[in-house]
Amino acid sequence: MSALPELTRFNDNVLSKYQIYSSIFTTLPFDTISNTGVLLPLFQKICEKGFKNGKNPTQIIEKFFKKYQDSPTDNEKNDLLFQFIQYIERLVVLFDAIEDAAFPIVNNMDGFGTLRNSKESAILSNKKEELKKYLEDFKVRIVLTAHPTQFYPGSVLGIITDLDEAIQNDDLLLIKKLLAQLGKTPFYKKSKPTPFDEAVSLIWYLENVFYHSVSKIYNYIQNNIYDGHPTDNEIIDLGFWPGGDRDGNPFVTTQITLDVAERLRQSILRSYYRDVRRLKRRFTFDGVQEILARIEKRLYKHVVRSYAKVNFSQKILLQELEDARNIIKEKHDSLFIEELNDFINKVRIFGFHFATLDIRQDSRVHHKAFTQIVDDLLAAGDTTFPENYQRLSESEQIEILAIVKGNIDPKILSDEMSVKTIESIYALKTIQQRNGERGANRYIISNNQSALNVMQTFAMLNLCGFENELPVDVIPLFETVDDLENASDVMRTLYTNKTYRYHLSKRKNQQTIMLGFSDGTKDGGYLMANWGIFKAKEALTKISREFDIEVIFFDGRGGPPARGGGKTHQFYASLGPTIEDKEIQLTIQGQTISSNFGTLDSSQYNLEQLISSGIKNEVFTKDQLNDNHRTIINDLAETSYKTYVDFKNHPQFLSYLEKMSTLKYYAKTNIGSRPSKRSNSDTLDFSALRAIPFVGSWSQLKQNVPGFFGVGTALKKYEDAGRFDEIVDFYNSSDFFKTLLENSMMSLTKSFFGLTAYMADDPVFGEFWKLIFEEYKTTKRLLLKLTGHKELMENFPVGKASIEIRENIVLPLLTIQQYALKKIQDLQKEEGNEAEIEVYEKMVMRSLFGNINASRNSA
């Protein structure tokens, strides 16, 4: 099977099976969708033909009802459209399950980018020792975030898992039953989830996927690269944001932080408990059985008793297991020892924390809270800060912040946010005591603009009773174009501060710095964000090396290319020697978790791709930009930036998003605990708008502006100057530039301007729509010219085929959504239509779900 071309394997195992199973789905007798299975294919054809002939969504839907319904009432029309939405949601789930089931067949699990391939390449090039040395320090950290881009409730996730297995086994009877179950299972969440609910949903992936795939990868490295010898490096770390990410989320409380950390601890101990029970069936030998029985008993108590005071730790558990292993080796001929080794490796990797819970807060919130803390301490007669502190210069304040110590009592604080901030730090201490230091040892400051932002956080940590060295990494997050440019100056100020430098010496001389692709793109456009981050990483690497600091970059990435997603492993493989690469750290969220890490096979494959990208960049080849290429990309980025900023400053930019897109409906759906914007203002403020609804709204319009706008204009500048051959040379010789533009091509592939072509005639927004469409056409034309391709993503046929099928599935859904949006606009022109408007608003919100799930990386 693997000898067949990848696209053939996809067509045989994904497309063909989808056609078969979806046809079965249409024949199932659902109460709520009795005729939908017959009518939807007809509606699909009407949509395809209608857009091809230049019809708008309203005309398409009216034609469908005129042709296939006998004078239906408005209520009957709406009921059928809602049934279509429900049906299409389930077809998306079916396709997800089929594609997941076929993953190990379509993808070569031992091919390029896998660990086996990297090992064999190292042996062939006589670099195995170099590979071993590199893996002694190199890590990949996957940080799971619960941003609102995944809409499947737990019950549906369970059906997907069961469908996956049934499809792999070709169990047609079970598949039919599961499809029937799918038809009767609600998709819509009736209430907004809490941060704890989000955490529980993501912990499912930790227990059912990562617990197994991460340890399998570690075992492979240990057995095949280190020849069976253990390595102290875990290689893969897991991070976790739900319950710790406070940035703009008022629903994250101290108690939720503690509860999520405890849930993580219980989840990993429960996983250990299950493994120990299995091991007891193997190790029925004297000496070993007693140890495992003792471990089983202690694990059971810890899971059941939850918050009770405990005297058990990763260190104690590992010692018990090492004792058992020694007995097996010395007295029982190492029988089944590989199974015990697997369990020991899991305990080394996951500890008692499972995943590190990061704490994150916005620097502006911190600054306000900290200012009030100082005022409250001074008012209480505390002498920690001088009375003139607030009037001191920034550099003078930093000197004081570096040396303050204390144990603040939150009860003396007058401001609610100050209390919450200090309590979150005390919670961090509690988590470390119960889950180990790796349970929570990172504090991230988003929207970081200055060294003062970092030092205020550093001081607050030191004012919460940490003895001796501070066991927490303070991580600035630079996001906007200006902040990225100033990042190295900020870090120079910190590195030259003796106290902070001493702190770093106790943290292995490492400094983690987070860079935000999402807000960077929202602020400066696609090319400038990516090039700005690349340059910032170079500057931060240089300044860090100057001070003998090993900088670790943590990338805040979303799902789509517009938010740093796309072909992520190719991006990391393209970085050169001017950027530190000892670790790859990135956020994974929403549909990207389920699509890239939702099954054991996909999780293992994508984790190996990330590890191998680091290996390729360091051990095998280093892609380095020459001076001419730097000049070109800098010019492209500047041109693109100006084009994007002019577009963003267009007087109709915000009103177009507000009135013509689904932007305001993100806030109304019960899809995530976090508000869609950072402020409570009723007016739309671009700076307060979060990247997810911003990018997601363009995706729902099928315009995908953040992934391409400005790229075409930048390329056209070189075409007009007769210098396009320079761009072609750059593209063919630089993996970084190639990956950048190929990800933009993915954004273009997922765009469909025929859906909103009717907006060209809109009296208010017609010219603005044409402006976007012209940039799309220019970008598409020049990227095809650059690559020499006839179609977008021509060199990624399977990815292209998957996108085409998914876009085809949701075409009726997109049509319904645009129809509903137009209805709302028309009804709002007169008073007294509130009830009808409410129906169409519900239609828009319901259609959000299927569209986003089908795209898999749309927000």
Side-chain angles (χ1 to χ4, degrees), residues 754-773:
L755 178 71
T756 56
Y758 71 92
M759 294 182 187
D761 300 323
D762 188 273
V764 178
F765 296 109
E767 293 305 313
F768 187 75
W769 183 92
K770 290 174 186 176
L771 175 69
I772 300 170
F773 186 44

Side-chain angles (χ1 to χ4, degrees), residues 64 178-179 206 233 291 341 365 370 374 570 631 634 652 696 717 734 758 765 805 814:
F64 168 77
L178 289 168
L179 290 176
L206 292 179
N233 182 21
I291 292 174
N341 285 338
V365 175
F370 186 77
V374 173
Q570 290 185 6
T631 301
N634 200 65
Q652 290 182 323
K717 177 181 176 181
S734 169
Y758 71 92
F765 296 109
I805 296 169
L814 293 163

Side-chain angles (χ1 to χ4, degrees), residues 13-57:
N13 294 279
V14 179
L15 178 58
S16 296
K17 286 189 176 182
Y18 173 71
Q19 291 169 341
I20 292 168
Y21 296 143
S22 60
S23 65
I24 294 172
F25 196 40
T26 62
T27 65
L28 296 174
F30 302 130
D31 297 335
T32 55
I33 50 175
S34 53
N35 295 317
T36 312
V38 176
L39 292 172
L40 182 58
L42 301 174
F43 181 47
Q44 176 92 31
K45 292 295 181 186
I46 292 278
C47 290
E48 291 174 8
K49 190 174 180 180
F51 286 121
K52 192 174 182 180
N53 293 331
K55 302 296 183 183
N56 65 48

